[in-house]
């Protein structure tokens, strides 16, 4: 994935164009050795200002697609961090059980509680989101619904998630168990950062998504 991957997309509405691009934060990242042959490394992108800031930041954990590691799509994490999120991934290439996602969340929480960590008290544990693609979509749903720490996630997004039938090879998942908002960058900004402009994509009788040709079969409750 190239650094300018987001410029290849074809947003058609004003807010969609805004949130498809980069945010205003400068971004830094770090790689931490997890010491496990499956997860290998935990990779964290964050707003550079975090290094000198006293506030906590919302975090998004990203669950990899089949045979993909976070190191294969680093620009995606960097773009999330440019919007003010701590974006977290790992190098697990088979994520469908949700286990490595749950373990990565635990690791992030340990960093947040460790006085020697760059991320000590820098993660807003009340504002955690999770994203998953393909096999990682199944893994994200399972991380939310089947692990003790899954209740900490407040927002879910899956892209081209593996069908529940296909996901039987990893143990399957039940979408009906999901009780948190499930949907993109603007969604995360609205629900994790209280960004009212981002909310206009989804909310109200004239929500942008209702007349955006890139989205079909849209149903909304408010």
């Amino acid at each position: 994935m190239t650094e300018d991957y987001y410029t290849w997309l074809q947003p058609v509405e004003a807010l969609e164009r805004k949130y498809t691009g980069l945010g205003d934060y400068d971004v830094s990242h770090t790689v931490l050795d997890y010491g496990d042959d499956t997860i290998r490394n935990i990779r964290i992108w964050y707003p550079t200002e975090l290094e000198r800031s006293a506030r906590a930041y919302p975090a998004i954990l990203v669950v990899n697609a089949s045979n993909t590691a976070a190191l294969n799509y680093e620009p995606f994490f960097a773009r999330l961090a440019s919007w003010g999120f701590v974006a977290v991934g790992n190098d697990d290439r088979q994520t469908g059980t949700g286990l490595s996602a749950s373990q990565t969340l635990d690791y992030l929480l340990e960093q947040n509680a460790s006085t020697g960590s760059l991320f000590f008290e820098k993660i807003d544990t009340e504002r955690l989101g999770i994203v998953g693609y393909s096999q990682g979509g199944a893994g994200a749903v399972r991380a939310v619904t089947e692990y003790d720490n899954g209740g900490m996630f407040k927002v879910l997004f899956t892209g081209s998630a593996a069908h529940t039938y296909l996901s039987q090879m990893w143990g399957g998942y039940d979408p009906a168990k999901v009780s948190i908002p499930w949907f993109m960058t603007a969604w995360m900004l609205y629900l994790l950062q209280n960004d009212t402009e981002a909310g206009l994509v989804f909310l109200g009788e004239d929500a942008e998504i209702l007349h955006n040709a890139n989205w079909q079969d849209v149903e909304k409750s408010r």
Side-chain angles (χ1 to χ4, degrees):
M1 177 180 284
T2 64
E3 291 186 0
D4 65 345
Y5 78 95
Y6 56 88
T7 65
W8 307 345
L9 306 177
Q10 297 180 337
V12 296
E13 298 290 340
L15 293 176
E16 185 184 35
R17 284 194 296 273
K18 175 178 178 176
Y19 295 114
T20 298
L22 293 178
D24 294 331
Y25 290 85
D26 292 331
V27 173
S28 297
H29 81 281
T30 187
V31 181
L32 304 172
D33 181 4
Y34 186 74
D36 175 274
D37 288 341
T38 298
I39 289 178
R40 297 182 180 273
N41 298 298
I42 291 180
R43 302 173 185 272
I44 306 178
W45 287 257
Y46 58 91
T48 303
E49 68 171 40
L50 174 149
E51 297 172 358
R52 58 186 182 277
S53 173
R55 75 180 183 91
Y57 294 77
I60 300 175
L61 193 156
V62 184
V63 190
N64 305 322
S66 298
N67 297 314
T68 304
L71 61 86
N72 299 129
Y73 57 111
E74 293 184 338
F76 174 76
F77 291 89
R79 191 182 69 82
L80 287 178
S82 79
W83 286 101
F85 296 104
V86 174
V88 186
N90 62 44
D91 291 340
D92 181 14
R93 294 176 180 272
Q94 300 295 329
T95 59
T97 66
L99 176 59
S100 64
S102 177
Q103 292 172 325
T104 299
L105 174 58
D106 278 342
Y107 186 87
L108 183 64
L109 297 174
E110 290 170 4
Q111 293 293 306
N112 189 56
S114 173
T115 56
S117 169
L118 169 64
F119 302 100
F120 176 58
E121 296 185 345
K122 298 297 178 66
I123 307 300
D124 187 342
T125 58
E126 296 298 318
R127 297 175 184 268
L128 301 177
I130 185 168
V131 170
Y133 294 92
S134 187
Q135 181 184 158
V141 174
R142 294 190 69 181
V144 168
T145 61
E146 298 184 20
Y147 293 87
D148 290 342
N149 60 6
M152 298 190 70
F153 291 112
K154 300 300 189 291
V155 190
L156 168 66
F157 169 79
T158 59
S160 301
H163 191 277
T164 52
Y165 178 78
L166 177 62
S167 73
Q168 294 303 315
M169 68 179 69
W170 312 298
Y173 66 93
D174 183 358
K177 293 181 179 179
V178 176
S179 60
I180 59 175
W182 185 344
F183 209 33
M184 62 185 162
T185 302
W187 189 240
M188 297 286 180
L189 283 164
Y190 169 59
L191 289 169
L192 298 181
Q193 295 193 29
N194 299 319
D195 186 325
T196 55
E197 183 180 27
L200 296 177
V201 175
F202 312 101
L203 303 179
E205 294 182 359
D206 193 40
E208 183 178 276
I209 198 170
L210 295 176
H211 48 80
N212 185 329
N214 285 335
W215 294 86
Q216 297 84 40
D217 302 318
V218 175
E219 294 185 14
K220 56 194 295 295
S221 60
R222 58 192 174 105

